[in-house]
Amino acid sequence: MTDSKKYGFTTTTLHSDRQKAIEHGSLHKPIHTSVTFGYSDARELATVFQGKKPGYRYGRQGNPTVAALEDKVNKMEEGLSTICFATGMAAIGAVVQALLREGDHVVSSAFLFGNTNSLWQTVGGQGVQIAMVDATDVKNVEAAIQPNTRIVFVETIANPRTQVADLARIGKLCAERGILYVVDNTMTSPYLFRPKTVGAGIVINALTKSIGGHGNALGGSLTDTGLYDWARFPNILETYKRYPTAQWGMAQIRAKALRDFGGSLGPEAAHHLAVGAETMALRLDRECANALAVAQMLEADERVAAVYYPGLKSHPQHAISTELFRAYGSLFSFELKDGIDCFDYLNRLQLGVSASNLGDTRTLVIPVAHTIFYEMGAERRASMGIAESLIRVSIGIEDTADLVEDFRQALDA
C-alpha cells in the first residue's frame, strides 16, 4: 500500500502504519516507552534539536508510537500535519496557549461542551475577549467579528443539545476575512465529516471518543488542514518563521503548547487509540443506526417532551446535517415530560450505563443539568436550552432491538 492510490476510509486507516517501515515486520506500530532518544553523533542530535532534520528529542515532544497515531489521524482528516495531546481538552487548550495573546478576540459558538465553555471563561479572565454566539446562523458570527478577531471556534454538533453550526457559510466568511477557522470534529469524527471540506484551518478531535471508541484511553489531536495562510496570523513568533509558511502554526503549537505545557500523549494510550481507530467506521455505522432508531421511538412516545437528534426531520438543522454528514452521529438527548423523574428513568435502564463519556462501544446515559453542566449554574444552562430533565445518550453498538426495548421499558415502568 502506497500514497499513490486512493483507498477507502477504513482501508487507509487499517494499513497506514505499513506505509512506513515497522520494526520486525509488526502489523502495529510497537509501543516505544523510552523517554529519551540517543544519537551516536552529537552533531546529529544538534540538527534534530534545531529542526533541521526530523528525529526524536525527548518524550514530551514526540514519540514513534505517538507519531504513528498522528500520521493515522492526519490521513483521516486529509491534513497537512497533526499533533496529538494527552486529552481533547489539552488539544483545545493548546490552541489558546500557543496562538492567542492578551487583547485578542475570539468568536465562539455558545453551544459548547461544558469544559470548553469553562475554558473560555478562564481565557476571558486573562485578557482575551470572547464573544459567544448562536453559530447555527452565520449572520450571528459575522456580527460578532471585530478587527482583532483571531479565531472563530465551533463544534460540528453541539453536546448535548445537538445544535449544528452553519459550518460551510462560517468557513466562507472566515476565508474572506482571513480569520483562522477552528472546528471541533469530535461529535462527528473524520468518518462522518471532514471539516476541511468547509474551510476549517485547524480541526480538533477528542481521540478518547469515537476514534478510540472503547473508553480505555484518553487523547486529543489538532490537525492543520493546510487551508489557512499563516502569513495572515499576527501572533507567529519570528523563531518559527524560519520554516515554510505552511508550517508556522503547527511549529509554534508543538513548541509553545506541547513542549512548554507538557500535555503529551503517552505511547501506551496512543497504541490503544490507534488500534481502536481501525474499527471506527464499522462502529459508527452501527451506532448511528441505533441512535436514529431509539430517537425515533422516543419522539413518538407521548411521555417524552422533546428529542434532539440531527437525524430527526423535526431537528432545526436536519437539512444541513443531511447535506454535510455521512450520518447523524451517535449522540442525542431528550427531555421527559413533567412528572417523570429523570433519575428514576435512568435507574430503570438495563443496558444504558450511567456514566460520563461519549463514543463508547457501550450505551452511556447521563442527567446533564445535574452533572456535566451543573457547575455553570441554572441561568447559563437555561441560555443554552438545557432543561433540568435533559438526558444525554451516547449510543453504543448493542443490538438495535435490545436498545429500543430497553429505552421503552424504562418509560413503561
Side-chain angles (χ1 to χ4, degrees):
M1 179 179 176
T2 66
D3 283 327
S4 62
K5 181 175 180 179
K6 179 78 170 178
Y7 289 92
F9 184 90
T10 297
T11 303
T12 301
T13 301
L14 194 64
H15 292 280
S16 67
D17 286 353
R18 298 196 303 115
Q19 291 186 267
K20 297 178 181 177
I22 309 180
E23 299 88 322
H24 313 298
S26 172
L27 295 184
H28 292 111
K29 185 68 174 178
I31 303 174
H32 289 265
T33 58
S34 181
V35 171
T36 56
F37 304 90
Y39 292 84
S40 58
D41 184 340
R43 291 183 179 85
E44 183 182 8
L45 173 64
T47 59
V48 169
F49 262 79
Q50 294 167 16
K52 298 176 181 177
K53 178 180 179 179
Y56 299 100
R57 314 173 193 178
Y58 184 67
R60 175 162 31 89
Q61 296 161 250
N63 170 284
T65 310
V66 176
L69 176 62
E70 290 174 340
D71 186 59
K72 194 181 294 285
V73 175
N74 200 57
K75 285 182 170 63
M76 292 179 189
E77 292 288 6
E78 296 185 348
L80 181 67
S81 62
T82 292
I83 301 174
C84 284
F85 296 84
T87 66
M89 284 308 304
I92 298 173
V95 174
V96 173
Q97 174 60 29
L99 299 181
L100 295 178
R101 303 287 180 267
E102 183 178 4
D104 286 345
H105 181 258
V106 173
V107 179
S108 171
S109 169
F111 309 124
L112 290 176
F113 173 52
N115 290 141
T116 308
N117 180 78
S118 178
L119 175 64
W120 285 137
Q121 291 178 6
T122 300
V123 172
Q126 296 173 339
V128 175
Q129 304 167 45
I130 311 293
M132 308 288 281
V133 303
D134 179 352
T136 62
D137 189 337
V138 67
K139 293 178 182 178
N140 299 322
V141 175
E142 185 173 19
I145 288 176
Q146 300 178 5
N148 59 335
T149 300
R150 303 289 176 245
I151 288 173
V152 170
F153 180 97
V154 301
E155 297 173 356
T156 51
I157 302 176
N159 167 17
R161 270 285 306 273
T162 73
Q163 298 96 332
V164 178
D166 196 356
L167 293 161
R169 293 178 181 85
I170 295 173
K172 183 178 180 182
L173 173 67
C174 288
E176 292 171 351
R177 303 291 183 89
I179 298 171
L180 178 60
Y181 187 25
V182 180
V183 178
D184 188 331
N185 197 28
T186 299
M187 299 313 303
T188 31
S189 84
Y191 176 61
L192 299 184
F193 177 62
R194 284 193 177 106
K196 182 177 182 177
T197 62
V198 294
I202 286 183
V203 179
I204 297 167
N205 279 288
L207 305 176
T208 314
K209 315 305 183 189
S210 295
I211 291 178
H214 292 77
N216 60 356
L218 293 167
S221 66
L222 296 180
T223 298
D224 185 334
T225 65
L227 296 182
Y228 183 71
D229 180 6
W230 288 102
R232 304 183 71 171
F233 199 80
N235 295 343
I236 300 297
L237 300 174
E238 288 300 319
T239 187
Y240 305 112
K241 291 183 179 179
R242 70 180 186 272
Y243 300 109
T245 307
Q247 299 176 18
W248 289 1
M250 293 300 260
Q252 183 158 308
I253 290 170
R254 189 174 285 277
K256 306 308 292 182
L258 182 64
R259 182 194 68 191
D260 291 0
F261 270 69
S264 309
L265 180 65
E268 294 89 349
H271 177 74
H272 282 303
L273 294 167
V275 173
E278 294 178 355
T279 59
M280 176 170 56
L282 308 181
R283 288 183 280 104
L284 276 169
D285 282 343
R286 179 63 166 264
E287 290 167 6
C288 292
N290 281 348
L292 181 59
V294 178
Q296 288 174 334
M297 181 276 292
L298 290 170
E299 186 179 47
D301 196 295
E302 61 182 10
R303 293 162 293 190
V304 176
V307 182
Y308 306 104
Y309 183 60
L312 298 175
K313 293 181 179 180
S314 58
H315 193 282
Q317 289 86 47
H318 175 72
I320 191 172
S321 300
T322 302
E323 177 185 350
L324 293 178
F325 306 150
R326 183 191 298 262
Y328 305 101
S330 61
L331 179 136
F332 68 86
S333 59
F334 67 101
E335 299 170 17
L336 296 165
K337 285 192 173 178
D338 292 343
I340 304 176
D341 186 275
C342 68
F343 293 102
D344 290 341
Y345 177 85
L346 291 172
N347 289 340
R348 288 193 291 266
L349 290 172
Q350 300 299 306
L351 298 178
V353 182
S354 292
S356 178
N357 190 23
L358 304 170
D360 199 297
T361 51
R362 297 161 185 80
T363 293
L364 308 178
V365 292
I366 194 165
V368 177
H370 311 278
T371 55
I372 52 177
F373 280 68
Y374 179 75
E375 185 178 302
M376 67 176 53
E379 183 177 349
R380 177 77 176 112
R381 288 197 298 271
S383 71
M384 298 176 69
I386 297 173
E388 294 300 298
S389 70
L390 187 70
I391 293 172
R392 187 188 74 184
V393 181
S394 173
I395 283 286
I397 62 172
E398 297 93 342
D399 292 288
T400 306
D402 292 336
L403 285 174
V404 171
E405 174 56 27
D406 191 36
F407 278 80
R408 179 184 288 119
Q409 68 79 25
L411 285 169
D412 293 340

